[in-house]
Amino acid sequence: MRSLPLRALTLRQLQFFSVLVQEGQFGRAARRLSITQPALSNAIKQMEKLLGAELLTRSTHRLELTPVGAEVLARTDFLVNTVEVALRDIESTVQRGRAFVRIGVVPSASGSVAAAVADFLRETGRALEFAWRDAPSTTLLAEVRSGQLDMAVAAITEPPGGLACVDLFRDPLVLVVRRDHALAQKSEVNWEAIGSDQLVLFESGSMPALGNPARAQFAQGAEPYRVSYSETLYALVRGGLALGLMPRLYTGSLRDPALVVLPLAKPRVERRVVLVYLPGPMRNVVAQELIGFLGQRLPLPAEAPVRRRIAKKKAARASR
């Protein structure tokens, strides 16, 4: 059987192409790769010749991917990332006797994931080297697809195409209010009770997909403030400038007597927290074992609403 010309492609050519797209200029890419600009240009031309297609359109000031180039880049990045990590895995195993595993996690779930990984190490006696990545779910999903991460715990609103997905638990939206706010004494609130109060929510992650439709349905007042960090969200609520709308998981570490967390109902809006990874053979056995362990250990039991737990404690004191 005659081999296809593209089988003559080398890993080095693929690395050159990936770096060139990242840098956007032949000069910068050549310096980063420690080669001459003509050598880089020739490598890209050879790639295009082997593939029988143009990958880039060139102008004086910038490069642009062709449609074929964009498709090739996605697969190139996966191969380059996989090889680089496999080499690091081999180095870690040979020199330190440890497998190498890369884990991504949304910040709100980092405590649970870190505790579960610690349990895995303690219970299995495995020696592992980890790379940790905390980022919004959209970033984590893209990095699992590209081979930069072995697995990730992410929050989704739709099935993550192309990835194996293990459901862990559901994380509903809650309302964070000042303790002196009129809603603070309720056991739970519905969306209509928010009325025209100003809201503050996260600008990225799953919040736009979760919060915006519910706001539109119940015609909430002014456009909400959008922030990147929970500290800023809490500060705006604490200052009386807004009510906080956020996933309940974020509030697990909230220890502020000035703030109250209220369940939101009618409708109950929630995100799916999942464990995702690429289907097919894993890069090392330990990564596969860890995925199975996390899938069993991370699911959380259903929690009673915050207000109801407080009410039960008061009732218990009264009965003493």
Side-chain angles (χ1 to χ4, degrees), residues 47-98:
M47 274 191 70
E48 292 177 323
K49 181 178 179 181
L50 290 171
L51 291 168
E54 188 178 41
L55 301 175
L56 298 159
T57 56
R58 302 157 175 83
S59 66
T60 305
H61 299 292
R62 68 179 190 177
L63 299 171
E64 289 187 1
L65 285 167
T66 64
V68 171
E71 293 292 334
V72 171
L73 178 66
R75 291 152 180 81
T76 295
D77 283 346
F78 176 78
L79 287 170
V80 169
N81 291 331
T82 300
V83 169
E84 287 179 354
V85 172
L87 291 174
R88 181 172 174 181
D89 193 21
I90 292 170
E91 178 187 35
S92 179
T93 301
V94 171
Q95 295 184 1
R96 293 180 288 279
R98 299 180 176 184

Side-chain angles (χ1 to χ4, degrees), residues 156-268:
I156 63 172
T157 55
E158 299 178 353
L163 298 177
C165 179
V166 178
D167 270 290
L168 299 176
F169 54 88
R170 299 299 176 102
D171 188 23
L173 296 189
V174 295
L175 196 66
V176 182
V177 304
R178 276 173 48 130
R179 190 166 292 278
D180 60 1
H181 192 278
L183 295 176
Q185 301 306 312
K186 295 183 177 294
S187 60
E188 67 178 24
V189 295
N190 58 38
W191 287 81
E192 291 175 327
I194 297 173
S196 59
D197 279 358
Q198 179 73 49
L199 288 175
V200 55
L201 50 85
F202 295 129
E203 63 183 349
S204 61
S206 55
M207 278 308 300
L210 290 174
N212 290 344
R215 284 187 62 258
Q217 181 179 355
F218 294 105
Q220 245 69 63
E223 182 67 18
Y225 300 134
R226 301 182 187 276
V227 299
S228 298
Y229 302 102
S230 56
E231 291 86 349
T232 308
L233 186 148
Y234 293 144
L236 292 174
V237 176
R238 197 179 297 116
L241 300 174
L243 307 183
L245 181 64
M246 65 196 312
R248 183 175 63 188
L249 198 59
Y250 277 91
T251 66
S253 59
L254 179 60
R255 302 290 184 269
D256 190 333
L259 302 179
V260 174
V261 180
L262 298 171
L264 263 172
K266 298 180 181 178
R268 178 183 169 95

Side-chain angles (χ1 to χ4, degrees), residues 43 45 100 169 256 320:
K45 289 178 181 177
F100 176 55
F169 54 88
D256 190 333
R320 287 176 185 173

